[in-house]
Amino acid sequence: NDHGIIIDTACRMRRQFDYAIRQLEELTKKRFDYDRLSEVMEVSNSTCRWWKKSTELAMHKPSPLSGFDMFNYMVVCMRGNKDGETLFRLWYEELEERMKQNLGPWNNAEEKYRIMWDGIACWPHLATTFKTLKKYGVNMVASTYPDSWNIRYEKNDLDALVRAYASHYANRSIAYSVDNIAKIAEDYSLDGIIFHSNRSCKLMKFSARYSREPESLLFSSTVIRQIHAFSQMLNMRLAFRLLSS
């Protein structure tokens, strides 16, 4: 039960929020606009709902969604404005139409394997990762990372806001992470999981340390390109796992 962890984290975050608001009011000589905050939170909630509806379509077989679009369309971006809300609604409508036509994620390849990506994306090699997985018919249909920004809260309620962010999986116990991954594996009919341990974002690599399958681990750094022989490493690991499965 993570209730105690969330409450403790939320209390500390609320004090930080209050301090930041006082600082901004002093610097700008303006009062904090809670009515404007309420408007932005309402739009943000709607944006998150459309994003979640879109990504849940990946439960369908074949998935109409290439999971790397979750990294391209992160709900952390533009979530508080109307353009973001419109974008994700249009994305949902496009994916829903693909699903109705039973179309997979790619026009020139078949979805053979369905995986989850744990940890943040390998941003310097996003295209390489996508193309290599696609070559083997591997589609990333779920990920713990982009979904962690699907955060909703009651509008104009700072306490609800901090509770929501305190519930982020990086602030939770390993027991929660295990249960969450197990549910994703069942809901999305996974064939496997890639644990990406990123040296530059340590909070997002916690689960990777508990993997008992070292062949499923990928190590990288977001900011240091030189440590990669990424394409060769990913090809080798995928080929080994698929041939031995």
Side-chain angles (χ1 to χ4, degrees):
N1 189 332
D2 286 358
H3 180 71
I5 299 174
I6 294 171
I7 294 300
D8 180 65
T9 303
C11 288
R12 287 186 283 110
M13 289 176 66
R14 178 57 200 260
R15 290 196 294 271
Q16 292 171 344
F17 270 52
D18 290 339
Y19 179 62
I21 288 172
R22 289 197 301 272
Q23 281 188 312
L24 289 171
E25 287 181 333
E26 290 173 7
L27 288 169
T28 63
K29 309 303 182 186
K30 295 180 181 179
R31 297 291 296 171
F32 189 77
D33 190 341
Y34 285 92
D35 290 335
R36 176 59 181 151
L37 173 66
S38 180
E39 294 172 7
V40 172
M41 292 173 77
E42 186 172 10
V43 174
S44 179
N45 284 337
S46 178
T47 302
C48 284
R49 280 193 293 272
W50 283 114
W51 184 90
K52 186 63 173 175
K53 281 167 64 72
S54 301
T55 58
E56 284 182 340
L57 294 178
M59 293 183 189
H60 184 266
K61 284 188 173 182
S63 167
L65 166 70
S66 167
F68 278 83
D69 284 340
M70 295 185 212
F71 293 139
N72 291 324
Y73 296 107
M74 292 280 285
V75 73
V76 73
C77 301
M78 302 199 318
R79 59 182 290 158
N81 66 55
K82 286 288 187 180
D83 288 341
E85 182 184 26
T86 300
L87 171 67
F88 290 118
R89 176 179 56 80
L90 293 173
W91 191 36
Y92 171 77
E93 292 171 358
E94 176 186 335
L95 292 173
E96 185 183 39
E97 184 60 31
R98 289 186 65 86
M99 184 187 70
K100 289 177 180 177
Q101 298 180 37
N102 207 38
L103 296 175
W106 314 298
N107 294 328
N108 58 351
E110 177 188 356
E111 177 187 275
K112 297 179 181 178
Y113 305 98
R114 298 163 60 85
I115 66 161
M116 186 195 85
W117 182 283
D118 181 65
I120 77 169
C122 189
W123 297 115
H125 294 275
L126 201 61
T128 299
T129 313
F130 166 75
K131 291 174 183 177
T132 304
L133 291 171
K134 179 183 174 184
K135 180 175 73 174
Y136 291 100
V138 178
N139 186 24
M140 187 196 88
V141 295
S143 175
T144 51
Y145 178 61
D147 192 60
S148 66
W149 306 114
N150 173 39
I151 297 173
R152 294 175 237 177
Y153 25 66
E154 294 83 8
K155 65 177 184 178
N156 206 12
D157 186 342
L158 280 179
D159 287 327
L161 181 68
V162 297
R163 283 197 303 272
Y165 278 97
S167 302
H168 185 282
Y169 83 94
N171 298 322
R172 306 287 287 266
S173 66
I174 187 61
Y176 171 84
S177 295
V178 170
D179 290 343
N180 184 47
I181 289 172
K183 185 176 187 308
I184 291 172
E186 181 178 357
D187 290 346
Y188 288 82
S189 305
L190 299 184
D191 298 302
I193 299 172
I194 290 180
F195 293 95
H196 179 216
S197 181
N198 186 286
R199 301 178 191 277
S200 307
C201 199
K202 293 179 173 59
L203 283 177
M204 300 301 178
K205 76 171 191 175
F206 189 67
S207 299
R209 289 189 250 155
Y210 290 82
S211 172
R212 297 183 181 180
E213 296 284 341
E215 297 84 8
S216 67
L217 290 177
L218 294 175
F219 294 92
S220 74
S221 169
T222 299
V223 295
I224 307 173
R225 295 180 64 95
Q226 288 78 5
I227 74 168
H228 291 281
F230 194 81
S231 179
Q232 295 91 329
M233 176 182 68
L234 185 56
N235 268 291
M236 180 181 68
R237 289 183 181 273
L238 276 174
F240 175 83
R241 299 300 290 169
L242 294 175
L243 288 171
S244 61
S245 62

